Amino acid sequence: MADAATLDRAAEILRGGGIVAFPTETVYGLAADAENEAAVRRVFAVKGRPLDHPVIVHLGDAAALRAWARAIPDAAHVLAQRFWPGPLTLVLPRSARARDVVTGGQDTVALRVPAHPVARTILGRFGGALIAPSANRFGGPSATTAAHVAADFGAGVDLIVDGGAATIGLESTIVDLSGDAPSILRPGGVTREALEAALGAALPPRESSTVRASGTLPSHYAPSARVELAVDASIAVTRALELRAEGARVAIVGTEPEPLETLAHELYARLRAADADGAEVVVVVLPLGEGLAAALRDRLVRAAAPRQD
Ligand code: TXA
Ligand code: MG
């Protein structure tokens, strides 16, 4: 864990409107004072993130929910009690404290209490709420180590707090509690099965309006290399050999049997390593099943989506 002086400095920089990258249990975040509009704007600028793309407000504890959400349904209390601190984000009707710059002008705000000791300590010493989008350039693979953050931003951030590799390696699960029934907006570290068990109810499948045809799926989490998906290891190997025969530099991910937790923990590092090795194509085996596999497929399908540029 980072030393006490570094954690104090992090809180001081944040109070002064600066940007601090720090580890959470999911991925590294690029943090700024959630109530300082200029600081929030700087994070958007550094990331290259469009202004209408809302950010998650990170809270020190669940009691702060009341300051940021104007309505808190029972399901929010149940999920906060069960999963906070942890890799779960709740979308709720916003209070006046959640400004347009944070919510992208929407009437809702995304809130989470992270579990990582470094994130918790910095939030505690800072004393307020922090926005913390994933610490990567917009559209690219998230950062799961301090070195990833440094590679993306270098001197663009005021401080990078090194807390080792992020534990889970995939972003938090986002649950929308602002409508009539809870729904999962982004699968992640807390699985659908665990949410349904806590709520005692089935979560509806995504609304059709949020399911996009693959041709229009926004590219995200994407390395510079093109990403191709394979349904099993033998197909991936065959495809990699075919591409190599055509003269392409190819990296391959997910062909060896390994726990899903390991693949989640390593995924972004492997995509980044493929770029560092000069790969033109990364062939990735899509994991099967529910739970963390669903979160991995979500990230991989977006990483493989056609690029805007
Ligand atoms: O695990 C995580 O959540 C990480 C760590 C650093 O906490 N953060 C993260 O932030 O993934 P970011 O900015 O990369 O992703 C935030 C996601 C975006 O997909 C955004 O659209 C969604 O949260 N989001 C934020 N506010 C929202 C809102 N009011 N309604 C719906 N979605 C929202
Ligand atoms: Mg992100």
Side-chain angles (χ1 to χ4, degrees), residues 20-31 46-47 49 58 112 116 132-154 157 159-172 186 220-223 263-273 275 299:
V20 174
F22 60 64
T24 82
E25 71 279 20
T26 58
V27 297
Y28 272 67
L30 213 51
V46 165
K47 268 190 69 102
R49 184 181 180 113
H58 294 62
R112 116 169 168 93
H116 195 289
S134 53
N136 54 277
R137 294 201 175 277
F138 185 70
S142 299
T144 51
T145 67
H148 294 162
V149 183
D152 276 14
F153 300 112
V157 301
L159 178 67
I160 299 172
V161 180
D162 189 347
T167 331
I168 297 171
L170 294 182
E171 300 78 359
S172 60
R186 180 175 72 183
H220 215 88
Y221 315 109
L263 181 58
H265 183 71
E266 302 277 315
L267 177 66
Y268 293 127
R270 292 186 195 165
L271 295 180
R272 286 169 173 268
D275 279 349
R299 306 306 188 276

Side-chain angles (χ1 to χ4, degrees), residues 44 49-57 99-106 108-110 131 133 174:
F44 276 77
R49 184 181 180 113
L51 273 173
D52 60 358
H53 207 90
V55 285
I56 297 170
V57 175
R99 313 227 183 121
D100 282 346
V101 67
V102 167
T103 69
Q106 302 189 66
T108 56
V109 62
I131 60 138
I174 303 180

Side-chain angles (χ1 to χ4, degrees), residues 103-237:
T103 69
Q106 302 189 66
D107 194 33
T108 56
V109 62
L111 301 165
R112 116 169 168 93
V113 178
H116 195 289
V118 169
R120 287 177 69 72
T121 305
I122 292 174
L123 274 162
R125 293 188 190 191
F126 172 70
L130 297 168
I131 60 138
S134 53
N136 54 277
R137 294 201 175 277
F138 185 70
S142 299
T144 51
T145 67
H148 294 162
V149 183
D152 276 14
F153 300 112
V157 301
D158 300 308
L159 178 67
I160 299 172
V161 180
D162 189 347
T167 331
I168 297 171
L170 294 182
E171 300 78 359
S172 60
T173 303
I174 303 180
V175 176
D176 185 0
L177 296 175
S178 69
D180 293 338
S183 68
I184 298 176
L185 299 182
R186 180 175 72 183
V190 174
T191 64
R192 167 184 294 274
E193 295 72 20
L195 291 166
E196 290 181 337
L199 291 171
L203 286 166
R206 277 193 209 200
E207 290 167 33
S208 55
S209 63
T210 62
V211 177
R212 301 180 177 97
S214 63
T216 60
L217 190 74
S219 167
H220 215 88
Y221 315 109
S224 301
R226 188 173 87 238
V227 175
E228 285 197 17
L229 303 176
V231 293
D232 67 36
S234 79
I235 289 174
V237 171

Side-chain angles (χ1 to χ4, degrees), residues 9 22 53 55 104 142 153 173 204 242-243 246 253 258 264 285 288 305:
R9 216 176 119 225
F22 60 64
H53 207 90
V55 285
S142 299
F153 300 112
T173 303
E242 188 177 286
L243 287 162
E246 290 167 9
V253 170
E258 63 187 340
V285 181
L288 299 172

Side-chain angles (χ1 to χ4, degrees), residues 28-43:
Y28 272 67
L30 213 51
D33 181 351
E35 295 182 71
N36 180 333
E37 198 159 324
V40 173
R41 282 186 193 283
R42 243 187 95 207
V43 171

